[in-house]
Amino acid sequence: MSSSRKSAPACEPLDINLDCKEILVEYLRHAFPVQQMRVFRTTDGADRSEPMLDADGKAVLSQEAIAARDELIEQLCALPPVPAALDTLIAHFGTDRVAEITGRSRRLVVKPDGLQAIERRSARANLVETSLFMDGVKPILVFSSAGGTGRSYHADRASKAGNKRRIHFLLEPGWRADVAIQGLGRSHRTNQTVPPIFRPVVTDCKGERRAISTIARRLDSLGALTRGQRQTGGQGLFDPSDNLESGLAREALAQWYRLLHGGKLASVTLTAFQDMTGLKLVDDHAVLLERLPPIQRWLNRLLALRIAVQNAIFEEYMGLIQARADAAREAGTLDVGVETIRAERIVTLADQCLRVDPRTGAETRLLHLELHLKPRVTGWDRLLRIWHNTDGVTFLHNTRSGHVALGVPSWSITDEEGRVIPMVSLERPTGSSRTSEAELALSHWKKIEQDRFHDLWEAECLDALTKVDTEAVHVAAGLLLPVWHKLPSDDVRVWRIDDGANTPILGRIIHPRALGRLQSEFGLSGNTTSLSPDEVLRGAEAAGGVPIPGLKGARLVMATVNNSRRLEIRDYAPEHRNWLKSCGAFSEVLSFKTRLFLPPDNARAILERIATDV
């Protein structure tokens, strides 16, 4: 007697796409506008629209809109699936190299034979994955907000992989700044051998700056509320130009509207922009409206545009923001939170009490400090690591000063007429600066060969390492908020001056030209702090110059005469003219006016003599 057994039916291989296509399709089916609209004119002559109804009171559907919706759905469903970032990382590197610490109890993995499989994860999976990462078994860690609480992923001295630097990629930070800070703090903690490197990840779609802007603004606000400084809240990840909801960004948007209305933008025309975004910018007489759409609405409407149009508009708009940020940074009015000055040594030359709070006894003090500063030098090897791709960079040598700089293409700015100005960043051994391509072409910077550039760079680095610069500054420190309105408004930056040994000094740097006015505000006009010759020479660079100690009312100003910069003594008493010339100053009659100048090579000695002889 034979028996037969039915064979089990073959299982269909898994073909699962974890994307959001279904959500988009359902959204189009229910939200795509297909109802026919009827246009009518009101009694005031304005055109209005309303839904069209048939004789039975039912909505009339537009066959053209239905066809467009169905075509869009068909086109969407024909696109290849876009996997989630987490699944893409696991599929690319493999589960044996990626430690996943999330809230998922199941996940879709790809086997070595290329087939998909559902893998179940136990409740202890996150603990095991954390241990494997900290021991160096798995070099890559991916954690979400569910895995970012109560655990540490830093280069802990007690862990087996504690000597490896963490490179923390910030992907999909969300909208909550406190959660973003908590996630960043997982890899940056105490008892670590080396701090992490944070890298925010964005795409080349400029509209994504909307999300980055919100995170930057909220991080700044959170830092200001919880720690009293915005820079701490933002962890230094974002530049002031990243916050598209700041005062600089609003000023730039107002200028962008004016340029658009004037037809001076190359990215888009006024008519096309209004048609694409649905924003009304002009009245019936083609005059720009007084109340224009705010920055949030403008950014949201840009997200609906094609990426090429988005990028073109953002290039011009970000150029306007960057031009304002550069100008504010140069003038010292850019609010970037607390900036740090690292000094090798701090010597207190003078200490004056400006105010004592009557309730708490806290003091506001004016400190005269001598800072011994050692420049931070970028060696040749580090320069090559940063700019390993030399495409587009130029090796420059200044024929006047003898210095060298690496010319690197930088972000452009947009002037007030809507013209895009290409910029170049000059990377030098001890710092960097930005200039326009036009100014660079007219300057003393000339191209040289890489071999000669390398020799000059190394020589300049060796020379900089042996130098310690000495700089004297005046700092208003202590309790500042009650007297903030009395402090000079030309430079609102707050500085932390630290030598790594004593308690850091936190306060506002007071420009030499404002010292007399500041001390008068606090009734200390009779005890004016004298300025050193070096301070006077540095102060002459600022607008309005700086008072010359000993010469009441006289100022030293950096003036431009016949396209050359000169140190000029202004507002001096007429009877002092011959005496100042005997000290080393020289006179010149320009436009029927006698003006006094200091020779730059001997200016310091002349100022010392003036201070001594008065």
Side-chain angles (χ1 to χ4, degrees):
M1 184 176 179
S2 63
S3 61
S4 62
R5 179 177 298 174
K6 295 182 179 179
S7 59
C11 295
E12 188 74 17
L14 291 177
D15 184 15
I16 302 176
N17 296 323
L18 300 178
D19 56 15
C20 57
K21 192 176 298 181
E22 295 84 354
I23 299 175
L24 290 176
V25 170
E26 289 301 316
Y27 174 77
L28 289 174
R29 285 176 177 169
H30 295 90
F32 194 92
V34 296
Q35 188 170 1
Q36 185 70 45
M37 305 297 290
R38 182 180 71 87
V39 179
F40 65 95
R41 186 177 297 273
T42 60
T43 55
D44 58 357
D47 291 336
R48 297 288 186 269
S49 62
E50 64 179 5
M52 182 180 294
L53 304 177
D54 60 12
D56 298 329
K58 297 181 180 179
V60 177
L61 302 182
S62 170
Q63 298 303 315
E64 183 179 357
I66 293 176
R69 180 195 64 185
D70 295 343
E71 173 64 22
L72 185 58
I73 293 176
E74 182 178 345
Q75 197 174 30
L76 178 64
C77 294
L79 293 176
V82 180
L86 175 59
D87 296 309
T88 302
L89 290 171
I90 294 177
H92 180 78
F93 293 103
T95 56
D96 57 334
R97 301 192 63 206
V98 179
E100 178 191 342
I101 304 178
T102 62
R104 299 199 300 183
S105 60
R106 293 183 299 171
R107 65 182 180 183
L108 188 69
V109 297
V110 180
K111 294 183 176 180
D113 56 4
L115 298 178
Q116 293 179 329
I118 299 295
E119 180 182 278
R120 298 185 179 276
R121 309 179 74 236
S122 65
R124 293 180 53 83
N126 286 346
L127 296 176
V128 175
E129 296 281 70
T130 301
S131 178
L132 292 175
F133 172 74
M134 296 299 289
D135 292 342
V137 178
K138 293 188 176 183
I140 303 172
L141 169 69
V142 181
F143 70 92
S144 65
S145 58
T149 304
R151 294 185 177 87
S152 299
Y153 311 124
H154 63 297
D156 195 346
R157 299 178 186 271
S159 64
K160 296 181 180 179
N163 60 339
K164 293 184 178 180
R165 182 190 291 272
R166 273 48 170 166
I167 302 179
H168 192 145
F169 293 91
L170 182 62
L171 179 66
E172 299 178 359
W175 297 93
R176 291 184 57 186
D178 54 344
V179 175
I181 290 178
Q182 186 185 57
L184 296 174
R186 299 300 102 193
S187 60
H188 188 27
R189 306 177 75 80
T190 57
N191 197 39
Q192 62 186 3
T193 58
V194 60
I197 297 175
F198 292 122
R199 297 193 184 280
V201 179
V202 295
T203 67
D204 59 354
C205 178
K206 300 297 183 181
E208 192 175 355
R209 295 294 292 269
R210 175 69 172 98
I212 292 296
S213 169
T214 301
I215 286 293
R217 177 178 59 82
R218 294 184 180 182
L219 283 175
D220 287 347
S221 300
L222 186 64
L225 290 173
T226 59
R227 304 190 184 185
Q229 51 177 294
R230 289 165 302 283
Q231 191 182 49
T232 301
Q235 300 289 321
L237 285 174
F238 301 104
D239 189 82
S241 59
D242 290 325
N243 186 355
L244 302 183
E245 300 177 48
S246 64
L248 288 177
R250 286 191 291 269
E251 292 176 8
L253 180 61
Q255 179 63 19
W256 188 88
Y257 281 137
R258 290 192 290 269
L259 294 174
L260 178 66
H261 181 255
K264 297 180 180 181
L265 297 179
S267 60
V268 67
T269 63
L270 175 62
T271 303
F273 182 79
Q274 291 187 124
D275 292 340
M276 289 186 296
T277 60
L279 294 175
K280 185 177 181 181
L281 306 180
V282 295
D283 58 17
D284 296 337
H285 303 287
V287 178
L288 202 63
L289 298 176
E290 291 186 6
R291 297 188 62 181
L292 292 165
I295 183 69
Q296 295 86 353
R297 189 184 308 165
W298 183 79
L299 290 169
N300 290 334
R301 298 297 175 89
L302 284 189
L303 293 176
L305 305 183
R306 293 184 179 274
I307 293 179
V309 180
Q310 282 187 39
N311 293 352
I313 292 176
F314 257 92
E315 285 295 334
E316 295 171 334
Y317 173 60
M318 292 304 298
L320 291 170
I321 295 180
Q322 197 60 56
R324 283 162 171 77
D326 289 349
R329 184 181 282 109
E330 184 176 352
T333 58
L334 183 64
D335 191 0
V336 294
V338 177
E339 299 185 74
T340 302
I341 297 177
R342 302 289 183 186
E344 296 291 313
R345 183 180 172 213
I346 302 175
V347 179
T348 303
L349 303 178
D351 187 349
Q352 288 182 291
C353 181
L354 298 179
R355 178 183 180 271
V356 178
D357 189 81
R359 296 183 58 185
T360 63
E363 295 180 339
T364 304
R365 310 194 68 83
L366 179 63
L367 306 177
H368 190 192
L369 305 176
E370 183 181 81
L371 308 180
H372 296 253
L373 305 172
K374 194 170 184 179
R376 298 182 61 182
V377 180
T378 301
W380 178 255
D381 294 336
R382 176 170 173 78
L383 181 71
L384 291 183
R385 287 197 302 270
I386 298 174
W387 305 106
H388 59 278
N389 184 5
T390 58
D391 294 342
V393 304
T394 53
F395 303 101
L396 302 173
H397 175 248
N398 194 300
T399 57
R400 170 181 286 184
S401 66
H403 296 308
V404 292
L406 187 70
V408 181
S410 184
W411 58 85
S412 60
I413 63 174
T414 306
D415 65 10
E416 297 300 314
E417 297 298 322
R419 293 185 295 262
V420 177
I421 302 175
M423 302 291 290
V424 177
S425 177
L426 300 178
E427 303 293 332
R428 294 191 288 270
T430 56
S432 64
S433 61
R434 278 171 27 99
T435 184
S436 66
E437 291 183 357
E439 292 177 349
L440 182 65
L442 298 175
S443 67
H444 294 276
W445 291 102
K446 305 300 177 184
K447 295 182 181 180
I448 59 175
E449 296 297 328
Q450 183 174 351
D451 293 339
R452 186 184 174 208
F453 179 85
H454 167 254
D455 296 337
L456 293 173
W457 185 281
E458 291 282 23
E460 195 169 333
C461 288
L462 290 175
D463 183 61
L465 288 173
T466 60
K467 290 183 177 180
V468 176
D469 297 329
T470 301
E471 181 178 348
V473 296
H474 293 83
V475 181
L479 186 63
L480 297 181
L481 286 180
V483 298
W484 192 272
H485 63 287
K486 293 186 177 182
L487 300 179
S489 59
D490 54 351
D491 191 343
V492 297
R493 289 174 293 182
V494 178
W495 297 86
R496 177 188 287 106
I497 304 174
D498 188 8
D499 61 357
N502 301 321
T503 303
I505 300 171
L506 194 69
R508 291 260 306 271
I509 292 181
I510 306 301
H511 196 274
R513 68 173 182 274
L515 278 177
R517 186 170 64 254
L518 175 67
Q519 292 175 322
S520 298
E521 286 281 352
F522 291 94
L524 301 174
S525 56
N527 190 21
T528 302
T529 300
S530 62
L531 302 177
S532 66
D534 292 331
E535 290 179 296
V536 176
L537 291 174
R538 284 196 301 271
E541 296 282 349
V546 63
I548 300 177
L551 291 180
K552 186 176 181 180
R555 296 176 294 124
L556 185 66
V557 178
M558 183 65 72
T560 301
V561 181
N562 295 330
N563 295 325
S564 63
R565 291 166 64 82
R566 296 189 187 181
L567 290 168
E568 181 181 2
I569 301 177
R570 292 182 181 176
D571 301 334
Y572 59 90
E575 60 270 19
H576 289 162
R577 178 171 53 85
N578 290 330
W579 174 71
L580 289 172
K581 291 176 65 176
S582 67
C583 292
F586 66 94
S587 62
E588 189 172 343
V589 178
L590 299 171
S591 299
F592 305 101
K593 182 179 180 181
T594 302
R595 299 170 68 175
L596 280 183
F597 302 97
L598 296 182
D601 297 336
N602 202 29
R604 190 179 189 280
I606 296 174
L607 290 173
E608 287 181 346
R609 183 177 176 182
I610 292 174
T612 303
D613 294 349
V614 170

